[in-house]
Amino acid sequence: MPPPATTVSPPTTHAPFTERRYVLTFIFVVSLFMLWGLGVTMADVLNKHVQQVLHVSKANSAYVQAATFGAYFIMGLPAGWFMKRFGYQKGVILGLGLYAAGAFLMIPAANAASFTLLLGALFVLACGLGTLEAVAHPFLDGLGDPASSDQRITFSHAINGIGAVSGPLIGGYFVLRGTHAAGDLTSVKTLYTIIGTVVGSIGLLFAFVKVPPLFDEHPAAAAAATAAPALAAPGTEKGLFDHPNFVWACVAQLFNTAAQGGTWAYFINYGTDYMALKPGEAIHGFWQVGTLLERTVALAPGLPHLVGEVAAYFFSLSLVCMMVGRFLGTYLMRFIAPNKLLAAAALCNMSLCVVVAQHAGWVSFGALIGLNFFFSIMFPTIYSLGLKDLGRHKQLASSFIVMGVVGAALFPRFVMGPVANASVAHAYYLPIVCYVVVFLYGARFYKTAKDVR
């Protein structure tokens, strides 16, 4: 008789991160997180560029975020239905196809120098991003033991940080560098042609990957799922919206992405409006950051400010902080409950927003950079907590949580935008309300139906 399982795997052993048979699929799925990180933060660089080249106001430039994150809302449910009907792999291919198509549509939009057409192309591209995000989270959840799903999702979002950091770096170099004549969007065409080619190629490669049966599709699990209705009393199976952790995750994600979208949309404007330089030769290169620090003073009227390119590089620095926070969060979740980390991060960002709003030179700009460090675990943690114990509802639940990203479409333009037109710094008081909601989810409303009985 074989020894009992407890002699092989003690109760204190952590659930494995994933299994060997899932490694190739896991690598491809994680790469998707990097790709949509690139696509999302590139939009924040475009926000500043259209202000300069197409003479769009700060508030109206936030329609870039509205097009990007509005697409997440529109595509959330269709993506869920598609992957339920055709599977995760085809859902990924659909997302990459839309992503590449939107990138190539930027070429005629840039030729026409039309803000409206640019928004249309971004919308198609972001439909691909929303599809990828709706598919990738439950896909990851099935690539190993459910007990380690928090770690897999948070780790993947840390890799997402590589793409997010790359967006402003690449965008700053291609799009914001130098001077551009009114209506000149040549750099935008070049950049998105490259992006469309790379994304389309990855989609073709993924079509040939053989995906093994996922963890929750094992024969034993399937048999149990089939037998469950027969064993349960009629009417006892919970519907999706009977799970409070899911319902409140949708609310928390709406407010979380609202705060994140607003912070990112006006980051570069904050740098160019408030970070003044002492008189001297203008700084236009990333490698002159040391000189930049030496010459910066707090709010000196009439002095030249950070050029958009350098502000974009500082935006990348803030996203490095976010990436570090996600790797650290992945580690800390082995010892600290994810909901407690989430609540603590929300409290920290409330305090930092107050500091940012004071526009007190490098102290406030440093606080603005630091916001992303505490952002780091919010999105993936809300997502993973919201998917707990949902069973067969998991795919549809993922779509609804993705739809919460519409907060990033509405908040920058319609809430922060009018305030930012008068004072970008004071607009940063507004995300505090969002962090209160995130804090409440982490402190109280994360509990599953089993926990609240």
Side-chain angles (χ1 to χ4, degrees):
M1 179 178 177
T6 51
T7 63
V8 176
S9 179
T12 54
T13 300
H14 294 293
F17 187 75
T18 186
E19 297 178 11
R20 180 176 296 180
R21 61 194 173 123
Y22 294 137
V23 170
L24 180 61
T25 305
F26 180 77
I27 291 170
F28 265 95
V29 175
V30 168
S31 74
L32 303 179
F33 283 75
M34 185 167 64
L35 286 175
W36 84 60
L38 176 72
V40 168
T41 56
M42 196 75 74
D44 296 295
V45 175
L46 278 180
N47 182 306
K48 180 62 178 177
H49 191 56
V50 297
Q51 292 176 39
Q52 297 171 333
V53 176
L54 299 181
H55 306 297
V56 177
S57 71
K58 289 175 182 174
N60 286 337
S61 71
Y63 280 120
V64 168
Q65 277 69 35
T68 301
F69 296 111
Y72 275 70
F73 181 79
I74 298 296
M75 278 302 293
L77 285 177
W81 293 327
F82 186 90
M83 68 176 161
K84 198 170 184 67
R85 174 71 175 82
F86 298 104
Y88 292 126
Q89 186 168 17
K90 290 181 180 177
V92 167
I93 294 168
L94 172 65
L96 291 172
L98 289 170
Y99 191 163
F104 288 127
L105 285 173
M106 294 292 282
I107 299 170
N111 284 334
S114 167
F115 185 48
T116 303
L117 292 180
L118 281 173
L119 294 177
L122 275 175
F123 180 82
V124 174
L125 185 154
C127 282
L129 301 182
T131 300
L132 291 176
E133 192 146 357
V135 173
H137 286 90
F139 201 168
L140 272 177
D141 197 65
L143 294 177
D145 193 316
S148 58
S149 63
D150 291 318
Q151 295 174 45
R152 284 193 298 278
I153 290 176
T154 304
F155 173 81
S156 299
H157 275 272
I159 301 301
N160 166 270
I162 297 174
V165 169
S166 301
L169 285 175
I170 295 170
Y173 181 83
F174 278 94
V175 177
L176 297 181
R177 187 175 54 149
T179 57
H180 301 268
D184 179 13
L185 294 169
T186 304
S187 58
V188 173
K189 289 190 294 182
T190 302
L191 177 57
Y192 279 92
T193 298
I194 296 170
I195 291 173
T197 302
V198 171
V199 170
S201 299
I202 292 173
L204 286 174
L205 286 174
F206 192 66
F208 294 99
V209 173
K210 186 175 181 180
V211 178
L214 301 188
F215 196 92
D216 58 355
E217 293 173 344
H218 291 174
T226 303
L231 298 174
T236 58
E237 186 180 5
K238 286 186 176 293
L240 175 59
F241 290 94
D242 293 325
H243 292 270
N245 60 307
F246 159 72
V247 173
W248 287 108
C250 293
V251 175
Q253 203 68 287
L254 175 73
F255 282 89
N256 171 54
T257 57
Q260 181 173 314
T263 297
W264 289 6
Y266 297 108
F267 185 103
I268 295 176
N269 283 294
Y270 192 100
T272 56
D273 285 3
Y274 297 113
M275 300 307 295
L277 301 178
K278 292 180 179 178
E281 183 182 352
I283 289 179
H284 295 282
F286 177 62
W287 304 113
Q288 292 178 277
V289 167
T291 307
L292 173 69
L293 295 173
E294 292 174 4
R295 286 169 43 195
T296 302
V297 295
L299 303 179
L303 298 179
H305 294 149
L306 278 171
V307 295
E309 178 194 355
V310 176
Y313 295 146
F314 274 99
F315 183 35
S316 278
L317 175 62
S318 77
L319 295 172
V320 169
C321 293
M322 183 174 73
M323 182 173 61
V324 170
R326 282 178 175 164
F327 280 116
L328 180 60
T330 302
Y331 175 74
L332 290 177
M333 283 178 189
R334 296 173 64 87
F335 314 103
I336 304 173
N339 66 289
K340 292 181 180 179
L341 284 177
L342 178 65
L347 284 174
C348 291
N349 270 6
M350 290 182 215
S351 302
L352 289 177
C353 280
V354 173
V355 178
V356 173
Q358 308 312 307
H359 54 82
W362 278 103
V363 173
S364 292
F365 197 49
L368 179 58
I369 292 171
L371 283 173
N372 272 338
F373 178 81
F374 295 103
F375 269 149
S376 60
I377 64 162
M378 291 185 186
F379 189 96
T381 304
I382 292 170
Y383 219 120
S384 62
L385 291 173
L387 294 180
K388 293 289 186 188
D389 295 338
L390 298 188
R392 65 184 181 85
H393 300 301
K394 191 174 295 182
Q395 292 169 321
L396 188 58
S398 177
S399 296
F400 276 109
I401 296 174
V402 163
M403 290 171 68
V405 177
V406 74
L410 303 175
F411 196 76
R413 171 61 184 89
F414 300 107
V415 181
M416 287 185 74
V419 180
N421 275 339
S423 170
V424 173
H426 290 164
Y428 279 91
Y429 279 122
L430 300 173
I432 293 174
V433 177
C434 301
Y435 293 124
V436 170
V437 176
V438 174
F439 169 78
L440 290 174
Y441 182 69
R444 181 177 178 83
F445 297 118
Y446 70 94
K447 297 178 180 179
T448 65
K450 292 187 299 185
D451 295 329
V452 296
R453 285 174 187 168

mmCIF file of all heavy atoms in Angstrom, residues 41-42 44-46 49 165-178 180 187 191 268 284 286 308-313 315-316:
data_model
loop_
_atom_site.group_PDB
_atom_site.id
_atom_site.type_symbol
_atom_site.label_atom_id
_atom_site.label_comp_id
_atom_site.label_asym_id
_atom_site.label_seq_id
_atom_site.Cartn_x
_atom_site.Cartn_y
_atom_site.Cartn_z
ATOM 1 N N THR A 41 0.327 51.887 -21.924
ATOM 2 C CA THR A 41 1.127 53.064 -21.556
ATOM 3 C C THR A 41 1.557 53.869 -22.774
ATOM 4 O O THR A 41 1.840 55.062 -22.651
ATOM 5 C CB THR A 41 2.366 52.661 -20.737
ATOM 6 O OG1 THR A 41 3.145 51.711 -21.470
ATOM 7 C CG2 THR A 41 1.962 52.051 -19.406
ATOM 8 N N MET A 42 1.593 53.238 -23.946
ATOM 9 C CA MET A 42 1.864 53.996 -25.166
ATOM 10 C C MET A 42 0.771 55.040 -25.404
ATOM 11 O O MET A 42 1.021 56.133 -25.921
ATOM 12 C CB MET A 42 1.933 53.052 -26.357
ATOM 13 C CG MET A 42 2.568 53.657 -27.584
ATOM 14 S SD MET A 42 4.344 53.766 -27.419
ATOM 15 C CE MET A 42 4.791 52.058 -27.615
ATOM 16 N N ASP A 44 -0.673 56.773 -23.164
ATOM 17 C CA ASP A 44 -0.412 57.953 -22.333
ATOM 18 C C ASP A 44 0.619 58.881 -22.974
ATOM 19 O O ASP A 44 0.584 60.101 -22.783
ATOM 20 C CB ASP A 44 0.053 57.508 -20.939
ATOM 21 C CG ASP A 44 -1.031 56.740 -20.204
ATOM 22 O OD1 ASP A 44 -2.068 57.341 -19.904
ATOM 23 O OD2 ASP A 44 -0.842 55.539 -19.960
ATOM 24 N N VAL A 45 1.538 58.318 -23.753
ATOM 25 C CA VAL A 45 2.473 59.144 -24.520
ATOM 26 C C VAL A 45 1.724 59.853 -25.650
ATOM 27 O O VAL A 45 1.938 61.040 -25.919
ATOM 28 C CB VAL A 45 3.619 58.280 -25.078
ATOM 29 C CG1 VAL A 45 4.532 59.110 -25.987
ATOM 30 C CG2 VAL A 45 4.434 57.671 -23.940
ATOM 31 N N LEU A 46 0.812 59.134 -26.313
ATOM 32 C CA LEU A 46 0.016 59.753 -27.377
ATOM 33 C C LEU A 46 -0.826 60.904 -26.845
ATOM 34 O O LEU A 46 -1.048 61.900 -27.541
ATOM 35 C CB LEU A 46 -0.901 58.710 -28.012
ATOM 36 C CG LEU A 46 -0.292 57.807 -29.084
ATOM 37 C CD1 LEU A 46 -1.347 56.832 -29.590
ATOM 38 C CD2 LEU A 46 0.256 58.626 -30.235
ATOM 39 N N HIS A 49 1.280 63.854 -26.975
ATOM 40 C CA HIS A 49 1.676 64.174 -28.353
ATOM 41 C C HIS A 49 0.542 64.867 -29.116
ATOM 42 O O HIS A 49 0.785 65.831 -29.853
ATOM 43 C CB HIS A 49 2.095 62.893 -29.070
ATOM 44 C CG HIS A 49 2.769 63.124 -30.377
ATOM 45 N ND1 HIS A 49 3.903 63.906 -30.507
ATOM 46 C CD2 HIS A 49 2.480 62.676 -31.632
ATOM 47 C CE1 HIS A 49 4.282 63.929 -31.780
ATOM 48 N NE2 HIS A 49 3.430 63.185 -32.476
ATOM 49 N N VAL A 165 6.741 49.694 -18.746
ATOM 50 C CA VAL A 165 7.932 50.556 -18.717
ATOM 51 C C VAL A 165 8.403 50.860 -20.132
ATOM 52 O O VAL A 165 8.805 51.989 -20.441
ATOM 53 C CB VAL A 165 9.063 49.862 -17.913
ATOM 54 C CG1 VAL A 165 10.383 50.598 -18.087
ATOM 55 C CG2 VAL A 165 8.699 49.790 -16.441
ATOM 56 N N SER A 166 8.342 49.872 -20.991
ATOM 57 C CA SER A 166 8.829 50.047 -22.364
ATOM 58 C C SER A 166 7.991 51.053 -23.146
ATOM 59 O O SER A 166 8.504 51.756 -24.016
ATOM 60 C CB SER A 166 8.822 48.700 -23.094
ATOM 61 O OG SER A 166 9.623 47.756 -22.431
ATOM 62 N N GLY A 167 6.671 51.118 -22.835
ATOM 63 C CA GLY A 167 5.796 52.016 -23.585
ATOM 64 C C GLY A 167 6.264 53.463 -23.592
ATOM 65 O O GLY A 167 6.489 54.045 -24.663
ATOM 66 N N PRO A 168 6.443 54.099 -22.421
ATOM 67 C CA PRO A 168 6.917 55.480 -22.417
ATOM 68 C C PRO A 168 8.343 55.638 -22.941
ATOM 69 O O PRO A 168 8.671 56.658 -23.555
ATOM 70 C CB PRO A 168 6.846 55.877 -20.931
ATOM 71 C CG PRO A 168 5.860 54.947 -20.341
ATOM 72 C CD PRO A 168 6.021 53.659 -21.082
ATOM 73 N N LEU A 169 9.212 54.648 -22.707
ATOM 74 C CA LEU A 169 10.579 54.736 -23.233
ATOM 75 C C LEU A 169 10.577 54.746 -24.760
ATOM 76 O O LEU A 169 11.201 55.591 -25.400
ATOM 77 C CB LEU A 169 11.418 53.558 -22.727
ATOM 78 C CG LEU A 169 11.887 53.596 -21.272
ATOM 79 C CD1 LEU A 169 12.603 52.299 -20.925
ATOM 80 C CD2 LEU A 169 12.810 54.791 -21.031
ATOM 81 N N ILE A 170 9.856 53.798 -25.336
ATOM 82 C CA ILE A 170 9.778 53.713 -26.800
ATOM 83 C C ILE A 170 9.014 54.904 -27.354
ATOM 84 O O ILE A 170 9.420 55.528 -28.338
ATOM 85 C CB ILE A 170 9.113 52.389 -27.219
ATOM 86 C CG1 ILE A 170 9.987 51.204 -26.796
ATOM 87 C CG2 ILE A 170 8.879 52.342 -28.718
ATOM 88 C CD1 ILE A 170 9.306 49.854 -26.939
ATOM 89 N N GLY A 171 7.875 55.229 -26.698
ATOM 90 C CA GLY A 171 7.087 56.362 -27.163
ATOM 91 C C GLY A 171 7.833 57.677 -27.032
ATOM 92 O O GLY A 171 7.770 58.538 -27.918
ATOM 93 N N GLY A 172 8.555 57.856 -25.918
ATOM 94 C CA GLY A 172 9.339 59.077 -25.747
ATOM 95 C C GLY A 172 10.391 59.223 -26.824
ATOM 96 O O GLY A 172 10.632 60.318 -27.336
ATOM 97 N N TYR A 173 11.022 58.089 -27.191
ATOM 98 C CA TYR A 173 12.080 58.138 -28.207
ATOM 99 C C TYR A 173 11.503 58.378 -29.605
ATOM 100 O O TYR A 173 11.977 59.234 -30.353
ATOM 101 C CB TYR A 173 12.868 56.830 -28.191
ATOM 102 C CG TYR A 173 14.007 56.802 -29.190
ATOM 103 C CD1 TYR A 173 15.234 57.386 -28.871
ATOM 104 C CD2 TYR A 173 13.839 56.232 -30.442
ATOM 105 C CE1 TYR A 173 16.280 57.379 -29.782
ATOM 106 C CE2 TYR A 173 14.887 56.231 -31.363
ATOM 107 C CZ TYR A 173 16.096 56.795 -31.033
ATOM 108 O OH TYR A 173 17.119 56.794 -31.945
ATOM 109 N N PHE A 174 10.467 57.630 -29.978
ATOM 110 C CA PHE A 174 9.922 57.727 -31.325
ATOM 111 C C PHE A 174 8.995 58.925 -31.512
ATOM 112 O O PHE A 174 8.985 59.557 -32.567
ATOM 113 C CB PHE A 174 9.135 56.453 -31.678
ATOM 114 C CG PHE A 174 9.982 55.308 -32.153
ATOM 115 C CD1 PHE A 174 10.415 54.349 -31.267
ATOM 116 C CD2 PHE A 174 10.347 55.187 -33.482
ATOM 117 C CE1 PHE A 174 11.197 53.286 -31.690
ATOM 118 C CE2 PHE A 174 11.120 54.138 -33.923
ATOM 119 C CZ PHE A 174 11.547 53.182 -33.025
ATOM 120 N N VAL A 175 8.172 59.207 -30.493
ATOM 121 C CA VAL A 175 7.063 60.149 -30.679
ATOM 122 C C VAL A 175 7.344 61.536 -30.114
ATOM 123 O O VAL A 175 7.069 62.553 -30.764
ATOM 124 C CB VAL A 175 5.772 59.562 -30.053
ATOM 125 C CG1 VAL A 175 4.618 60.548 -30.172
ATOM 126 C CG2 VAL A 175 5.415 58.242 -30.718
ATOM 127 N N LEU A 176 7.888 61.620 -28.887
ATOM 128 C CA LEU A 176 8.041 62.925 -28.240
ATOM 129 C C LEU A 176 9.395 63.578 -28.471
ATOM 130 O O LEU A 176 9.579 64.747 -28.161
ATOM 131 C CB LEU A 176 7.799 62.785 -26.731
ATOM 132 C CG LEU A 176 6.396 62.344 -26.301
ATOM 133 C CD1 LEU A 176 6.313 62.271 -24.785
ATOM 134 C CD2 LEU A 176 5.339 63.282 -26.855
ATOM 135 N N ARG A 177 10.356 62.823 -29.005
ATOM 136 C CA ARG A 177 11.703 63.375 -29.182
ATOM 137 C C ARG A 177 11.695 64.463 -30.255
ATOM 138 O O ARG A 177 11.084 64.317 -31.304
ATOM 139 C CB ARG A 177 12.676 62.263 -29.582
ATOM 140 C CG ARG A 177 14.122 62.701 -29.630
ATOM 141 C CD ARG A 177 15.023 61.528 -29.907
ATOM 142 N NE ARG A 177 14.642 60.812 -31.107
ATOM 143 C CZ ARG A 177 15.489 60.169 -31.902
ATOM 144 N NH1 ARG A 177 16.760 60.133 -31.600
ATOM 145 N NH2 ARG A 177 15.051 59.530 -32.962
ATOM 146 N N GLY A 178 12.404 65.541 -29.979
ATOM 147 C CA GLY A 178 12.558 66.617 -30.957
ATOM 148 C C GLY A 178 11.291 67.443 -31.103
ATOM 149 O O GLY A 178 10.395 67.419 -30.269
ATOM 150 N N HIS A 180 7.985 68.736 -33.639
ATOM 151 C CA HIS A 180 7.108 68.211 -34.683
ATOM 152 C C HIS A 180 6.231 69.351 -35.196
ATOM 153 O O HIS A 180 5.645 70.101 -34.415
ATOM 154 C CB HIS A 180 6.231 67.086 -34.144
ATOM 155 C CG HIS A 180 7.014 65.924 -33.588
ATOM 156 N ND1 HIS A 180 7.371 64.842 -34.346
ATOM 157 C CD2 HIS A 180 7.513 65.693 -32.340
ATOM 158 C CE1 HIS A 180 8.048 63.988 -33.601
ATOM 159 N NE2 HIS A 180 8.152 64.490 -32.375
ATOM 160 N N SER A 187 6.107 59.926 -36.980
ATOM 161 C CA SER A 187 6.685 59.049 -35.957
ATOM 162 C C SER A 187 5.658 58.053 -35.426
ATOM 163 O O SER A 187 5.994 56.914 -35.080
ATOM 164 C CB SER A 187 7.251 59.886 -34.799
ATOM 165 O OG SER A 187 6.241 60.707 -34.230
ATOM 166 N N LEU A 191 6.102 53.903 -35.546
ATOM 167 C CA LEU A 191 6.025 53.137 -34.308
ATOM 168 C C LEU A 191 4.964 52.047 -34.382
ATOM 169 O O LEU A 191 5.210 50.880 -34.051
ATOM 170 C CB LEU A 191 5.734 54.085 -33.147
ATOM 171 C CG LEU A 191 5.549 53.453 -31.776
ATOM 172 C CD1 LEU A 191 6.767 52.633 -31.388
ATOM 173 C CD2 LEU A 191 5.273 54.526 -30.735
ATOM 174 N N ILE A 268 2.693 63.111 -17.467
ATOM 175 C CA ILE A 268 3.637 63.887 -18.290
ATOM 176 C C ILE A 268 3.298 65.373 -18.210
ATOM 177 O O ILE A 268 4.190 66.229 -18.147
ATOM 178 C CB ILE A 268 3.638 63.376 -19.737
ATOM 179 C CG1 ILE A 268 4.168 61.932 -19.764
ATOM 180 C CG2 ILE A 268 4.502 64.253 -20.639
ATOM 181 C CD1 ILE A 268 4.128 61.270 -21.127
ATOM 182 N N HIS A 284 17.318 67.308 -23.192
ATOM 183 C CA HIS A 284 16.450 66.572 -24.094
ATOM 184 C C HIS A 284 16.719 65.079 -24.087
ATOM 185 O O HIS A 284 16.056 64.337 -24.801
ATOM 186 C CB HIS A 284 16.610 67.080 -25.536
ATOM 187 C CG HIS A 284 16.158 68.496 -25.716
ATOM 188 N ND1 HIS A 284 14.840 68.870 -25.824
ATOM 189 C CD2 HIS A 284 16.872 69.652 -25.780
ATOM 190 C CE1 HIS A 284 14.746 70.183 -25.972
ATOM 191 N NE2 HIS A 284 15.962 70.679 -25.945
ATOM 192 N N PHE A 286 17.541 61.199 -22.178
ATOM 193 C CA PHE A 286 17.357 60.394 -20.985
ATOM 194 C C PHE A 286 18.642 60.285 -20.176
ATOM 195 O O PHE A 286 18.621 60.268 -18.949
ATOM 196 C CB PHE A 286 16.881 58.997 -21.408
ATOM 197 C CG PHE A 286 16.720 58.038 -20.263
ATOM 198 C CD1 PHE A 286 15.804 58.296 -19.269
ATOM 199 C CD2 PHE A 286 17.478 56.883 -20.191
ATOM 200 C CE1 PHE A 286 15.634 57.410 -18.213
ATOM 201 C CE2 PHE A 286 17.320 55.995 -19.140
ATOM 202 C CZ PHE A 286 16.394 56.264 -18.156
ATOM 203 N N GLY A 308 8.689 67.182 -22.958
ATOM 204 C CA GLY A 308 7.820 66.020 -22.906
ATOM 205 C C GLY A 308 8.569 64.710 -22.961
ATOM 206 O O GLY A 308 8.203 63.735 -22.299
ATOM 207 N N GLU A 309 9.636 64.650 -23.749
ATOM 208 C CA GLU A 309 10.402 63.413 -23.886
ATOM 209 C C GLU A 309 10.956 62.962 -22.536
ATOM 210 O O GLU A 309 10.852 61.790 -22.156
ATOM 211 C CB GLU A 309 11.542 63.613 -24.874
ATOM 212 C CG GLU A 309 12.425 62.390 -25.058
ATOM 213 C CD GLU A 309 13.734 62.716 -25.760
ATOM 214 O OE1 GLU A 309 13.914 63.872 -26.194
ATOM 215 O OE2 GLU A 309 14.584 61.808 -25.850
ATOM 216 N N VAL A 310 11.557 63.902 -21.781
ATOM 217 C CA VAL A 310 12.156 63.554 -20.499
ATOM 218 C C VAL A 310 11.068 63.218 -19.476
ATOM 219 O O VAL A 310 11.226 62.298 -18.665
ATOM 220 C CB VAL A 310 13.058 64.694 -19.990
ATOM 221 C CG1 VAL A 310 13.601 64.374 -18.606
ATOM 222 C CG2 VAL A 310 14.201 64.917 -20.954
ATOM 223 N N ALA A 311 9.949 63.932 -19.516
ATOM 224 C CA ALA A 311 8.839 63.595 -18.619
ATOM 225 C C ALA A 311 8.361 62.172 -18.884
ATOM 226 O O ALA A 311 8.000 61.443 -17.956
ATOM 227 C CB ALA A 311 7.694 64.589 -18.812
ATOM 228 N N ALA A 312 8.356 61.761 -20.159
ATOM 229 C CA ALA A 312 7.968 60.384 -20.499
ATOM 230 C C ALA A 312 8.948 59.384 -19.901
ATOM 231 O O ALA A 312 8.553 58.296 -19.455
ATOM 232 C CB ALA A 312 7.895 60.214 -22.016
ATOM 233 N N TYR A 313 10.240 59.732 -19.870
ATOM 234 C CA TYR A 313 11.223 58.828 -19.278
ATOM 235 C C TYR A 313 10.999 58.690 -17.763
ATOM 236 O O TYR A 313 11.175 57.609 -17.195
ATOM 237 C CB TYR A 313 12.642 59.319 -19.556
ATOM 238 C CG TYR A 313 13.021 59.298 -21.026
ATOM 239 C CD1 TYR A 313 13.867 60.261 -21.564
ATOM 240 C CD2 TYR A 313 12.530 58.312 -21.870
ATOM 241 C CE1 TYR A 313 14.213 60.237 -22.904
ATOM 242 C CE2 TYR A 313 12.866 58.280 -23.201
ATOM 243 C CZ TYR A 313 13.712 59.252 -23.729
ATOM 244 O OH TYR A 313 14.046 59.221 -25.046
ATOM 245 N N PHE A 315 8.092 58.924 -16.432
ATOM 246 C CA PHE A 315 6.914 58.057 -16.370
ATOM 247 C C PHE A 315 7.351 56.588 -16.403
ATOM 248 O O PHE A 315 6.840 55.750 -15.656
ATOM 249 C CB PHE A 315 5.981 58.383 -17.539
ATOM 250 C CG PHE A 315 4.688 57.604 -17.544
ATOM 251 C CD1 PHE A 315 4.043 57.256 -16.370
ATOM 252 C CD2 PHE A 315 4.109 57.226 -18.747
ATOM 253 C CE1 PHE A 315 2.853 56.547 -16.385
ATOM 254 C CE2 PHE A 315 2.931 56.518 -18.780
ATOM 255 C CZ PHE A 315 2.290 56.181 -17.601
ATOM 256 N N SER A 316 8.332 56.280 -17.254
ATOM 257 C CA SER A 316 8.875 54.921 -17.292
ATOM 258 C C SER A 316 9.497 54.539 -15.956
ATOM 259 O O SER A 316 9.358 53.406 -15.489
ATOM 260 C CB SER A 316 9.933 54.793 -18.398
ATOM 261 O OG SER A 316 9.331 54.588 -19.638
#
